[in-house]
Amino acid sequence: MSQDFHFYAAAVLFVIWSGNWIVYHVVSICYGWWKLHREKSPIPPATGSWPGVSILKPLVGTDPNLILNLETFFTMSYPFYEILFCIHEEGDPSIKIVEKLRKKYPHVDSQVFLGGKKVGANPKINNIFPGYQAAKYDLILISDSGIRMKVDTLMDMVQHMTGRVGLVHQLPYVCERKGFPAALEKEFFGTVQARAYLFAEFYGLNCLTGMSFIVKKNILEDLGGLQTFSCYLAEDFFIARAIRSKGYQLTISSQPAWQNTGCPQISAFHERLIRWAQLRFAMTPHMTVLEPVFECMFIGLIGSWAARVLFGFNILFFILLHSLTWLILDWILLSVVNKGGKQMNKFQFLVCWIFRESSSLFVYLRAFSMPSIRWRTGTYRLRWGGKVKEASSNLHFTHPSDRLSNVCNSSVGQSVHLLNCRSMSHTSICPSDT
């Protein structure tokens, strides 16, 4: 009986191991090639004119690449757009950079909003809310400060906003930068993150990172407005879920989101991954506990034991072959996401791959051992379902009409939260950036 149980258990685990390659790796590579290498020609919509876009840029502090990143928004090839710079307080060093660019490009419609407006616990929504209220176009692009645009990026994103599409987002990736931390980020976003993101997109799962996405303002207003989601730290996840619940589609554009922060650090990178894991555990604990199954070493051990029982394979040989195949497929996926850009050399990739795989368990365990979450200058407590309670914060909003309010306690906030939690069919398996 015991022998039969081991045989059937090994058979099930071997099917899981085999399916991982087809359902996860092969699909991500093939779909990534089809989606990211199929850019559309700039054909005007049926109405004959391009829709206007209001760009919300939340800014807190500066880094060496900030001016380069922001300038790319002034030089985009798109007929109608405005840039709404949302700076969290007066005296922020980013103000000088913004004003310098506004003087350099006076023909670009832009405004500056200082102080934000507190509508909930989420500091990003508090920061951009005045800009959101002042936006004059129906299409809203929320774009983080570290994002760099190409000349045709906005055009590409808008072209994907067709039919019942209510939100267009971008696959997170990074610009070419020097140093090991930058290479480590490139390996992660071009392999682990890209694989999960493309997998989720293909199967219709909720996997949105809020660093760069376009959404229709009228849809947000129907959901109660942007402030409705200020009781969540991962507002992007819940915005996506709410939009799906209304029958709209989400899609990624053919260009990735080019992250170009100026000071990449290994410690900051790990803190970011830990924060994402904490958010996922609070929002979708039933999926998060299964995440190790999708890690190379864990699934390799499962497959090697199953192959040993079923076929008598040597466990060490099987794990080595499994890891080598995984490494090769990750290299192929990175090449697909990189889209002809400068590729890191194979030795550098190998070092980054081994380092990141070796530290994945540390990130996972560290996330579960931390009761609170740190983001920018604030500390927060996460509740089940994704709601957040502000423990402490150094962000002060100086808008004249600023009043402490908690949307989570309002009838609108409660109704939308119930709407969001009603169905778990669109579960995020990706990190949610905020």
Side-chain angles (χ1 to χ4, degrees), residues 345-361:
N345 63 67
K346 292 182 176 62
F347 177 76
Q348 187 181 38
F349 174 77
L350 176 62
V351 172
C352 291
W353 189 87
I354 294 175
F355 181 87
R356 197 259 313 147
E357 286 287 346
S358 303
S359 61
S360 60
L361 182 61

Side-chain angles (χ1 to χ4, degrees), residues 173-184:
Y173 195 48
V174 293
C175 292
E176 184 65 31
R177 295 165 299 170
K178 296 181 179 180
F180 179 74
L184 185 63

Side-chain angles (χ1 to χ4, degrees), residues 126-144:
N126 291 338
N127 195 2
I128 66 177
F129 192 71
Y132 170 79
Q133 288 183 305
K136 63 183 180 183
Y137 297 122
D138 185 54
L139 292 183
I140 304 291
L141 169 61
I142 300 178
S143 176
D144 287 354

Side-chain angles (χ1 to χ4, degrees), residues 1 70 216 224 235 258 300 336 375 378 385 399 429:
M1 181 68 177
L70 295 184
K216 293 178 179 178
E235 79 290 338
W258 298 97
V336 170
W375 187 55
H399 193 277
I429 61 171

Side-chain angles (χ1 to χ4, degrees), residues 68-79:
L68 298 175
N69 296 334
L70 295 184
E71 188 167 14
T72 62
F73 286 81
F74 285 90
T75 58
M76 293 186 299
S77 178
Y78 193 83

Side-chain angles (χ1 to χ4, degrees), residues 164-214:
R164 290 292 294 177
V165 174
L167 186 150
V168 177
H169 53 123
Q170 293 182 280
L171 171 72
Y173 195 48
V174 293
C175 292
E176 184 65 31
R177 295 165 299 170
K178 296 181 179 180
F180 179 74
L184 185 63
E185 288 188 3
K186 187 173 186 178
E187 187 276 335
F188 171 80
F189 283 102
T191 58
V192 178
Q193 174 75 355
R195 186 166 56 248
Y197 215 84
L198 293 168
F199 169 87
E201 167 77 6
F202 181 80
Y203 288 103
L205 302 176
N206 184 359
C207 187
L208 167 68
T209 59
M211 62 183 69
S212 179
F213 68 94
I214 287 182

